[in-house]
Amino acid sequence: MFPLWDVAIRPVLRAARVRRVVEIGALRGETTVKMINDLGPDAVLHVIDPVPDFDPTEHERQFPGRYVFHEALSLDVLPTLDPMDAALIDGDHNWYTVYNEMRMLSEGARRAGAPLPVCILHDVLWPYGRRDLYYSPDQIPDEHRQPYAQKGMRPAGKKLIEHGGLNPTMYNAVMEGGPHNGVMTGVDDFVAEYDKPLRVLVLPIYFGLAIVVEEERLTAQPELAAALDRLESAQGRYELLEVAEQVRLRAMIFQHNVFFKRDEQVDRANARYLRVVKAALLNEHYLDHEVRLEQLSAFVTEKRTVVANEVRDPARNDQVAYRRVVRNRLGAAGPEPAAADSFLPYTAMGRPQLDHLERALDVVRDNAIPGDLVECGTGRGGGAIFMRAYLDAHDLPDRRVFVADRFRASPEPETSPTFPR
């Protein structure tokens, strides 16, 4: 509702000369601050929100005596309030809540012999104009609650979709349309039952804004009628178009910031994951163990003396052997022929060869080259394992990885080693 303050909401509230206002659903409190600043020192604002995304005590200190916050449900608070001049309704977006909010506002006004408050309601068009949203489904009586699911929506379909869409984490009604379903349906039902003529103005912008006013009030306050007429005029529509474009640009900037930042995060996560896979395939994390095994093997087969310090810390105390192992795993030339058959790493390739394999796979992916992947002369299958990890990292599950050598030629076994991301 906040983007429509200057062009629509403030002119209507000023023309209606409101002094007692209730705001249902304050979110971050932006509209709240604008409203108190604009309505003048003698205006009193009641704000209802069970889960505010701001600190109400800051507003209470800033606007003493003019600001009353209710951390509760609207249907529990509205019956306790004196009649309001206006109500901004942007809380729970479902038929039951909206219909009863308007009914309670009307009953409070009738008891005091006052007209219906000027009701300004947000989200009266898609997606929640004809579909219920439940922030807390258990707070809606069973008989007034639509079947719902945590799935997203798209404008073209009445049903929720299985993947993606708008607001997939929210509790959305399974079907769009039908009785007792959605914000605008609640407004329509209230208007149909109301015993006095009402003017209903719907602005098709920013999820839809509805303004509901008694015709008798418009007759008594011609400036209010003029404010509504202006919103429906060519000039008013042009101003709304400008707001729509500003909202669209802000949304695009926000979307791009999120999209490209997320892309960068995914790329970094993939790179870290594949680095860990390479290190695991090359046994990089335990190269000192390989030196220890060489030392112990020499002790058994060649009767060499075991030097305790070398076994305890070969990276420091047996640097010749340790550097040889590091060179075979990470050196630019790759492993020496004598080291290629080591039983410890999953692949006989060194790090440069694995890096080259990754670059080759990048070319295959970037150019959408079709086909499966195969490793020949697989040994322990390290190359195939890395190719499978690469496909998983880049979400390419449809390709298969084969391993082939002179002893076998078969698809990658289901039990082949995998590495967690």
Side-chain angles (χ1 to χ4, degrees):
M1 198 179 288
F2 173 73
L4 300 174
W5 173 259
D6 290 324
V7 69
I9 301 171
R10 178 174 60 181
V12 169
L13 295 182
R14 282 188 171 181
R17 300 192 295 274
V18 301
R19 289 296 173 264
R20 294 183 57 81
V21 183
V22 59
E23 181 184 19
I24 302 172
L27 193 58
R28 291 177 296 274
E30 296 117 327
T31 303
T32 305
V33 174
K34 280 188 170 292
M35 196 156 26
I36 294 181
N37 284 328
D38 286 351
L39 294 182
D42 56 342
V44 177
L45 175 63
H46 289 260
V47 177
I48 305 173
D49 199 318
V51 284
D53 195 14
F54 61 95
D55 184 2
T57 59
E58 294 182 5
H59 291 167
E60 291 170 344
R61 288 193 297 268
Q62 189 176 358
F63 307 104
R66 301 167 54 201
Y67 177 93
V68 182
F69 184 79
H70 307 268
E71 191 169 346
L73 298 176
S74 60
L75 300 185
D76 294 333
V77 175
L78 288 176
T80 69
L81 299 182
D82 292 332
M84 295 289 121
D85 298 323
L88 275 64
I89 301 175
D90 193 15
D92 208 358
H93 298 349
N94 56 72
W95 178 91
Y96 175 79
T97 303
V98 171
Y99 172 81
N100 284 291
E101 285 169 343
M102 297 192 73
R103 177 182 61 80
M104 291 176 179
L105 288 165
S106 171
E107 292 173 352
R110 289 290 174 89
R111 286 194 298 269
L116 177 73
V118 175
C119 293
I120 302 175
L121 304 100
H122 194 219
D123 289 284
V124 299
L125 298 181
W126 193 87
Y128 295 119
R130 305 297 177 184
R131 186 195 298 273
D132 273 1
L133 161 68
Y134 308 115
Y135 291 121
S136 298
D138 57 344
Q139 294 173 350
I140 307 299
D142 292 347
E143 64 272 21
H144 296 296
R145 189 174 60 234
Q146 300 284 338
Y148 64 89
Q150 285 183 291
K151 296 181 180 179
M153 306 161 285
R154 61 185 176 194
K158 290 183 176 294
K159 294 182 179 180
L160 299 177
I161 59 179
E162 289 299 321
H163 304 287
L166 183 69
N167 291 347
T169 63
M170 308 297 282
Y171 298 107
N172 302 309
V174 171
M175 292 294 296
E176 182 181 33
H180 296 187
N181 197 9
V183 174
M184 194 63 206
T185 306
V187 176
D188 289 341
D189 290 348
F190 172 81
V191 171
E193 296 173 5
Y194 198 68
D195 59 357
K196 293 183 179 182
L198 296 169
R199 180 173 177 179
V200 180
L201 172 62
V202 176
L203 304 180
I205 176 177
Y206 195 57
F207 307 113
L209 190 77
I211 303 174
V212 182
V213 188
E214 282 186 358
E215 292 284 1
E216 289 180 2
R217 184 165 188 164
L218 295 176
T219 301
Q221 293 181 309
E223 61 272 33
L224 178 56
L228 299 185
D229 291 340
R230 176 177 172 77
L231 289 173
E232 292 188 308
S233 69
Q235 179 61 31
R237 297 291 178 172
Y238 179 81
E239 293 173 358
L240 290 173
L241 282 174
E242 289 184 319
V243 172
E245 179 64 2
Q246 292 169 6
V247 170
R248 186 188 72 85
L249 292 175
R250 285 198 295 269
M252 287 294 293
I253 292 171
F254 176 81
Q255 180 186 25
H256 281 206
N257 287 340
V258 172
F259 178 81
F260 290 112
K261 182 178 180 180
R262 185 65 55 84
D263 263 5
E264 292 173 358
Q265 291 173 335
V266 169
D267 288 343
R268 288 196 297 271
N270 283 341
R272 285 196 299 269
Y273 167 57
L274 293 177
R275 283 198 300 270
V276 171
V277 171
K278 292 175 187 176
L281 292 174
L282 295 169
N283 200 39
E284 285 184 28
H285 300 122
Y286 303 106
L287 295 183
D288 53 340
H289 287 357
E290 295 194 33
V291 179
R292 291 189 181 96
L293 288 173
E294 287 183 6
Q295 293 169 338
L296 295 175
S297 175
F299 168 75
V300 172
T301 60
E302 302 176 17
K303 306 302 181 180
R304 291 185 189 174
T305 303
V306 175
V307 180
N309 284 341
E310 291 181 357
V311 175
R312 183 183 302 112
D313 190 357
R316 175 177 297 178
N317 298 319
D318 193 356
Q319 294 187 12
V320 172
Y322 184 78
R323 287 173 180 172
R324 184 185 68 253
V325 173
V326 171
R327 185 172 62 252
N328 282 322
R329 297 287 184 274
L330 309 180
E336 300 169 357
D341 294 329
S342 171
F343 71 93
L344 290 170
Y346 271 93
T347 175
M349 291 182 283
R351 171 57 74 90
Q353 288 79 6
L354 277 177
D355 290 342
H356 178 75
L357 175 59
E358 182 178 5
R359 290 192 295 271
L361 293 172
D362 287 339
V363 173
V364 172
R365 177 173 60 91
D366 293 342
N367 292 278
I369 299 173
D372 296 325
L373 304 174
V374 61
E375 180 188 21
C376 300
T378 183
R380 297 187 70 196
I385 293 172
F386 179 77
M387 289 191 287
R388 182 71 264 166
Y390 182 94
L391 296 178
D392 291 343
H394 293 287
D395 197 22
L396 301 170
D398 296 334
R399 295 176 185 260
R400 293 183 299 170
V401 178
F402 290 81
V403 293
D405 60 25
R406 59 183 177 176
F407 300 107
R408 68 183 181 187
S410 61
E412 176 191 11
E414 294 182 1
T415 57
S416 62
T418 57
F419 299 92
R421 291 194 64 176

